[in-house]
Amino acid sequence: MEKIQIVHTNDLHSHFENFPRVARFIEDSRKNSVADDFYLFDIGDAMDRVHPLTEATNGQINISWMNSLHYDAITIGNNEGLGNSHEELEHLYDKANFPVILGNLYDQKTEKLADFAQVSKIFTTKQQTTIGVIGLTAPFILTYPLLKWDIHLVQDILPKSLQAVKDCDVVILLSHLGVSMDRLIASKYPEIDVIIGSHTHHLFPKGEMDNGVLLAAAGKYGQNIGTINLELTNHRMIAKSAFTTKTASLKVLDGDQKWVQAQLDRGNDLLSQRKVANLPHTLSSDYHDKNAIIQEALSAMLEYTGAEAGVLSSGLFLDDLPKGIVTEKNLHDILPHAIHGMKTKMTGDNVWRLVMEMEKNRLYLRTHQQKGMGFRGKIFGELIYRGITVDNKRNVYINGQELRPNQEYTLALLDHYLFVPYFSSIEIAGDNEIMYPKFLRSVFGDYLSKKYPI
């Protein structure tokens, strides 16, 4: 009988506070494994620019950490794929000592698979069992083309990827597709032995068996680490199982917190060295303040998009911008989000409906604890208009002029508002141009650097 053990991570999202214990678990698992062969995989979203050191190094610190643990293969998530410019992603893995298994991301210019990726990798165990590993990432068809990538759909690519490993004894899919898609794939492709999942941050403490396919997933942020055990006889699978280990249950060593703090300090130091602007007064995160930061940000958005009116939410701004020299650290502190500007064109009747949606949801959103969709803060906050007013009869005005139902208007919004479920008119009626690759903090920084030069 042959035993194969796999340890896997997913959706770490630069949560460095868990990295020391995760690393020791991996090292101890490899050292103490009684299996004949041991493999280590990551299933994407290892990096997240919410951490200052990831931001300051364009994710290279994450690659360095993964190199130290000798991953056997990884795939990418949307935080790698969409959180970097085209050029940054092209070079993210230049120094990686592991392969990137990814079958559905193509370069628009060359029409070929991304240079850093490969469709599959075949591992051969000590007993000559062949393990075919393929990988896919979530096909965000609206946004990847904005970064000059052509993202292919699962139904188009998966059969081709499986052809590359059809003669292997064991087939494993590294899936940054989400739990619903994993279950659908399991129902249609029983030739896959194991799907290691991610993206939707789902956790399978003891795995899940679907149509004979083992699904494994380890939640998010390194809060759990996954382990898969396979047993084979004469290269044929006879048993497979999965479990997860809570990172909080692992021992904390004296130097852990010091290391975690050192990563934070290093990132903040690097960002602090990059000066952006010189403010004559503090910009307040309180939207009531006469020098409210959200008002300057609205000005920045209108200039960036060329729109005639705009909307931002106060929960985006996590702190004040202090008087004096503004650095990239200051901007990252207040706007750590993976959110982009968006220019939306719609007719007046649709603008009216959008504003009514905002008014309807205003009280709810004021204290709503928002999660995901690029947002890295706590609450959605107050909706603040620029160039939009509403009277007590629900008439809407753009820059003092009553809306004309058939006239086209241009609004400065955020891609975040397209993705959250509160403003359906944006998706239904808007001609939306998401403006990649700059995050909101970079747009704001560019504006401040011109208005308040050093």
Side-chain angles (χ1 to χ4, degrees):
M1 186 173 70
E2 179 182 12
K3 294 184 177 180
I4 298 169
Q5 187 169 71
I6 298 165
V7 168
H8 57 96
T9 55
N10 63 271
D11 296 287
L12 293 171
H13 282 276
S14 292
H15 275 258
F16 282 78
E17 70 273 14
N18 290 320
F19 280 19
R21 283 177 291 176
V22 170
R24 282 196 299 274
F25 179 90
I26 291 169
E27 291 166 345
D28 291 345
S29 295
R30 182 183 280 118
K31 179 180 178 182
N32 299 322
S33 177
V34 296
D36 300 290
D37 293 88
F38 179 94
Y39 297 97
L40 175 63
F41 301 134
D42 183 80
I43 324 299
D45 277 0
M47 69 168 282
D48 191 317
R49 288 179 177 271
V50 70
H51 194 282
L53 190 53
T54 298
E55 172 81 347
T57 64
N58 290 327
Q60 290 302 314
I61 188 63
N62 301 75
I63 304 305
S64 177
W65 182 82
M66 297 175 80
N67 281 344
S68 72
L69 292 169
H70 304 286
Y71 276 78
D72 291 285
I74 72 154
T75 195
I76 75 165
N78 44 288
N79 271 268
E80 287 89 13
L82 297 171
N84 293 290
S85 69
H86 188 104
E87 183 179 7
E88 286 166 345
L89 180 56
E90 278 187 323
H91 296 289
L92 179 61
Y93 300 101
D94 284 356
K95 297 180 180 179
N97 61 11
F98 47 81
V100 179
I101 313 300
L102 177 64
N104 63 328
L105 188 68
Y106 284 69
D107 190 297
Q108 278 187 353
K109 185 176 181 180
T110 65
E111 299 183 348
K112 296 180 179 178
L113 190 70
D115 285 343
F116 61 84
Q118 59 190 74
V119 171
S120 63
K121 184 173 176 62
I122 299 175
F123 297 91
T124 303
T125 69
K126 296 183 182 70
Q127 295 191 31
Q128 301 305 301
T129 293
T130 53
I131 304 173
V133 179
I134 58 177
L136 296 171
T137 196
F140 285 89
I141 58 175
L142 290 178
T143 46
Y144 271 111
L146 302 176
L147 290 166
K148 308 303 180 184
W149 295 113
D150 184 9
I151 189 74
H152 289 201
L153 298 177
V154 174
Q155 59 265 35
D156 297 331
I157 290 297
L158 181 54
K160 299 175 184 178
S161 296
L162 286 171
Q163 278 296 306
V165 295
K166 64 183 177 65
D167 296 323
C168 292
D169 301 309
V170 179
V171 175
I172 296 173
L173 169 61
L174 309 183
S175 166
H176 198 89
L177 301 173
V179 63
S180 297
M181 183 57 72
D182 290 351
R183 287 171 173 154
L184 179 61
I185 291 171
S187 72
K188 293 187 174 183
Y189 298 95
E191 63 266 38
I192 300 174
D193 293 287
V194 181
I195 298 175
I196 313 179
S198 62
H199 184 48
T200 45
H201 298 178
H202 54 291
L203 175 67
F204 290 147
K206 295 183 179 180
E208 178 178 290
M209 198 68 73
D210 285 28
N211 194 31
V213 180
L214 176 63
L215 273 58
K220 63 180 181 179
Y221 305 161
Q223 295 170 351
N224 298 272
I225 312 152
T227 303
I228 298 167
N229 290 311
L230 309 178
E231 294 184 8
L232 300 91
T233 297
N234 296 325
H235 313 302
R236 294 180 65 86
M237 190 80 67
I238 60 172
K240 48 188 173 181
S241 61
F243 66 90
T244 58
T245 301
K246 288 184 178 294
T247 305
S249 70
L250 303 176
K251 186 177 181 180
V252 177
L253 298 187
D254 290 342
D256 287 357
Q257 185 54 43
K258 183 178 180 181
W259 181 89
V260 171
Q261 187 62 46
Q263 311 314 303
L264 185 63
D265 292 344
R266 182 184 169 200
N268 283 332
D269 287 345
L270 289 170
L271 294 177
S272 294
Q273 294 171 26
R274 304 171 188 174
K275 299 178 181 179
V276 176
N278 188 4
L279 291 183
H281 50 256
T282 295
L283 296 178
S284 174
S285 55
D286 181 356
Y287 62 89
H288 294 106
D289 194 277
K290 67 175 183 178
N291 291 317
I293 192 172
I294 196 169
Q295 293 298 338
E296 288 278 27
L298 280 163
S299 296
M301 284 294 296
L302 262 60
E303 179 179 285
Y304 182 59
T305 60
E308 54 206 297
V311 183
L312 288 175
S313 41
S314 64
L316 291 162
F317 303 94
L318 306 189
D319 206 346
D320 300 343
L321 266 186
K323 176 182 177 180
I325 297 297
V326 173
T327 66
E328 288 189 12
K329 177 187 181 303
N330 297 126
L331 293 172
H332 187 269
D333 285 345
I334 67 162
L335 291 167
H337 323 291
I339 290 176
H340 305 83
M342 183 173 71
K343 179 165 59 177
T344 295
K345 294 180 181 179
M346 57 173 61
T347 55
D349 53 348
N350 289 309
V351 172
W352 181 87
R353 187 172 63 180
L354 172 61
V355 173
M356 291 304 105
E357 289 168 352
M358 292 182 169
E359 292 302 308
K360 177 182 182 296
N361 289 301
R362 178 181 293 279
L363 293 179
Y364 170 75
L365 292 173
R366 187 174 289 163
T367 57
H368 173 60
Q369 294 186 358
Q370 177 65 44
K371 295 182 180 179
M373 310 298 179
F375 187 70
R376 301 291 186 260
K378 295 181 179 179
I379 63 169
F380 188 93
E382 189 73 35
L383 286 161
I384 304 297
Y385 299 141
R386 171 68 62 82
I388 299 173
T389 52
V390 186
D391 67 19
N392 58 9
K393 295 182 179 180
R394 302 204 304 173
N395 295 310
V396 176
Y397 303 83
I398 299 293
N399 295 318
Q401 300 295 314
E402 189 169 358
L403 277 177
R404 295 182 179 180
N406 297 318
Q407 181 174 327
E408 186 175 73
Y409 297 88
T410 304
L411 306 178
L413 302 173
L414 300 173
D415 61 353
H416 178 60
Y417 303 153
L418 174 64
F419 303 141
V420 295
Y422 316 120
F423 316 123
S424 56
S425 291
I426 298 175
E427 182 174 4
I428 294 170
D431 177 7
N432 304 307
E433 179 186 349
I434 303 174
M435 304 180 74
Y436 271 71
K438 290 183 179 180
F439 286 138
L440 177 59
R441 59 180 169 272
S442 295
V443 173
F444 192 35
D446 289 347
Y447 173 81
L448 293 178
S449 69
K450 289 185 289 185
K451 185 172 182 179
Y452 305 111
I454 297 173

